[in-house]
Amino acid sequence: MYVNLAVLKETKPHERRVALTPAVAARLTKLGAKLHMQPGAGEGAGLPDKAFTDVAFIADRKALLADADVVLAVQPPAPEVIDAMKPGAILISFIYAGDEPALVQRLVDRKITCFAMERIPRISRAQAMDALSSQSALAGYYAVQLGATHLARVLPKLTTAAGAIGPAQVLVMGLGVAGLEAVATAHRLGAVVEGYDVRPETKGQVESLGCKFVDTGVDATGKGGYARELTPEEKTKVAAVLTQRIQAADLIITTAAIPGRPSPKLISKAQVAGMKAGSVIVDLSAEGGGNCEDTVPGETTRVGPATIVAPLNVPSLVADDASALYAKNQFSLLALMLKDNIVTIDWTDEVLAKTALTHDGKLTTAEVLKPAPVKTPAAA
Ligand SMILES: NC(=O)c1ccc[n+]([C@@H]2O[C@H](COP(=O)([O-])OP(=O)(O)OC[C@H]3O[C@@H](n4cnc5c(N)ncnc54)[C@H](O)[C@@H]3O)[C@@H](O)[C@H]2O)c1
């Protein structure tokens, strides 16, 4: 007995990642999987077919899917992919069910057991499977590189025979996984870095990286860990402090997100107009509409004194490393179910139960239809 596992070439525009790498292929083979791939699936990530020695290549996508017990993907697959899978087969991929109602219905109708990577619970045991974190960390790192290439100045202090220049001032707004990685990267590159977030616990996190927290003098902590609504006076006070920090920065990286909602606007048009000449904003929240009122998702634009860089799907820009981490995330999840050359799903396992989106013709959760309450509403 063995488990047939299939990986297609991703078809979403600009997606270069792949769900399987040669290192993970070798480990899956040891667990009893027989691996099949569409030719060229790894090319976008710099992985030619010949790098996959444990894999059989099948050009016909339908034939590849028809025999698969498990299909691995990065982006939510096209409906034809689900139609070609056999009932009862397993799909492991990012799905973002709230944005993909037709796809979710297809998964239910075709009785596919779907594990949605964005649903991996954020508990310590599941950290090795947490693809949101692995991809966000890379995006945070890469945002600093992108910003640096658009700046007409360097990040560190440089002392030359002609005199000293720098360092640049960097402000990171939103201190989740991507934001903290951006803080650490800009700090390593020699910039003077400060971070801002509505969650007070991020103060200690940014300080432990050797950087400053922007203290607005207003504590937004409410009951039960939720941020509370600020009074009009408090809002004015926060805005005044942030305007001053925004307009002192050479490079701003924004990463603020609220699950299930459009990106909160942290930088207004008026604040952009008052920024330093030649300054740069890298908006990592472009996918959710952006954290700056002037952001044009997917574009790099010049607005008054500033350049606003708003890339979409940043992990795909570092597809080699992003695929390596993503494939390891998926391997760790698969290792919970792949034993003795068969797939066994232990539904009492919290990680599997919470990550599953559909099983046996049913949605496993009502959350898809009713978004979860938001933990960190915009307080600024
Ligand atoms: N395994 C684990 O335990 C684990 C793994 C990863 C992340 N986490 C935690 O999950 C949380 C979310 O992390 P994420 O990277 O997914 O975050 P995210 O991408 O959802 O959001 C990024 C940041 O934006 C901040 N934000 C939202 N509105 C804002 C506003 N108006 N102004 C300023 N900042 C604003 C959020 O507080 C968050 O820190 C964090 O607490 C993180 O530490 C836990």
Side-chain angles (χ1 to χ4, degrees):
M1 284 268 283
Y2 50 79
V3 174
N4 263 327
L5 196 145
V7 179
L8 294 175
K9 189 172 169 61
E10 296 286 323
T11 50
K12 284 252 159 99
H14 311 300
E15 183 53 76
R16 298 187 203 145
R17 288 171 291 175
V18 63
L20 186 65
T21 59
V24 169
R27 294 170 74 186
L28 282 169
T29 305
K30 277 195 196 128
L31 285 187
K34 203 164 179 187
L35 309 175
H36 307 270
M37 257 176 133
Q38 184 181 347
E43 263 166 18
L47 297 167
D49 294 348
K50 64 177 181 342
F52 291 88
T53 48
D54 306 288
V55 174
F57 285 88
I58 299 175
D60 182 338
R61 285 168 64 93
K62 277 195 176 158
L64 186 58
L65 292 163
D67 275 343
D69 303 304
V70 180
V71 175
L72 302 181
V74 179
Q75 293 283 354
E80 308 83 80
V81 171
I82 311 302
D83 292 346
M85 287 174 69
K86 60 185 181 190
I90 294 173
L91 169 69
I92 309 180
S93 176
F94 278 121
I95 300 290
Y96 295 106
D99 299 334
E100 301 277 355
L103 176 62
V104 174
Q105 193 55 51
R106 216 64 158 239
L107 291 164
V108 169
D109 293 345
R110 297 280 306 159
K111 291 197 163 58
I112 303 298
T113 297
C114 174
F115 293 95
M117 291 302 285
E118 71 279 4
R119 295 173 58 81
I120 299 268
R122 288 184 138 175
I123 55 173
S124 0
R125 188 166 75 83
Q127 273 180 3
M129 307 162 207
D130 185 350
L132 280 182
S133 287
S134 71
Q135 306 301 292
S136 290
L138 288 168
Y141 162 84
Y142 199 64
V144 180
Q145 307 294 317
L146 271 177
T149 59
H150 282 88
L151 272 177
R153 54 173 308 170
V154 298
L155 293 184
K157 178 176 180 182
L158 283 188
T159 307
T160 77
I165 49 166
Q169 290 276 341
V170 175
L171 169 64
V172 179
M173 305 180 84
L175 300 172
V177 177
L180 288 173
E181 191 58 51
V183 167
T185 303
H187 180 59
R188 277 200 300 271
L189 289 173
V192 172
V193 187
E194 51 189 4
Y196 168 72
D197 197 295
V198 284
R199 289 183 299 120
E201 61 268 34
T202 57
K203 179 177 192 295
Q205 293 166 351
V206 83
E207 285 174 354
S208 74
L209 293 169
C211 301
K212 264 176 63 182
F213 184 74
V214 175
D215 193 351
T216 59
V218 174
D219 185 348
T221 316
K223 281 186 190 153
Y226 289 75
R228 68 180 167 85
E229 183 65 28
L230 301 184
T231 65
E233 295 75 35
E234 286 173 327
K235 281 184 181 165
T236 308
K237 192 172 170 189
V238 169
V241 175
L242 288 182
T243 300
Q244 210 246 329
R245 299 326 304 151
I246 287 166
Q247 296 180 348
D250 298 296
L251 170 60
I252 301 179
I253 292 164
T254 67
T255 77
I258 303 176
R261 291 219 193 149
S263 315
K265 296 289 180 237
L266 307 189
I267 306 178
S268 67
K269 285 177 182 285
Q271 285 168 326
V272 172
M275 285 180 72
K276 278 175 155 177
S279 54
V280 174
I281 298 172
V282 178
D283 192 339
L284 277 192
S285 291
E287 228 121 354
N291 288 146
C292 173
E293 284 179 358
D294 284 317
T295 290
V296 183
E299 306 278 324
T300 296
T301 47
R302 190 72 202 265
V303 184
T307 301
I308 304 178
V309 187
L312 300 172
N313 194 358
V314 177
S316 175
L317 299 174
V318 280
D320 185 340
D321 284 334
S323 302
L325 294 181
Y326 184 75
K328 282 187 186 169
N329 294 142
Q330 287 206 330
F331 172 81
S332 300
L333 182 67
L334 260 173
L336 297 180
M337 6 175 178
L338 205 50
K339 285 181 197 101
D340 304 325
N341 295 1
I342 52 165
V343 173
T344 314
I345 302 172
D346 173 3
W347 290 108
T348 65
D349 183 321
E350 179 189 3
V351 175
L352 294 177
K354 288 192 170 159
T355 308
L357 175 69
T358 59
H359 174 63
D360 200 20
K362 292 188 202 71
L363 263 181
T364 56
T365 171
E367 280 169 58
V368 182
L369 310 170
K370 192 164 70 66
V374 173
K375 262 214 135 185
T376 51

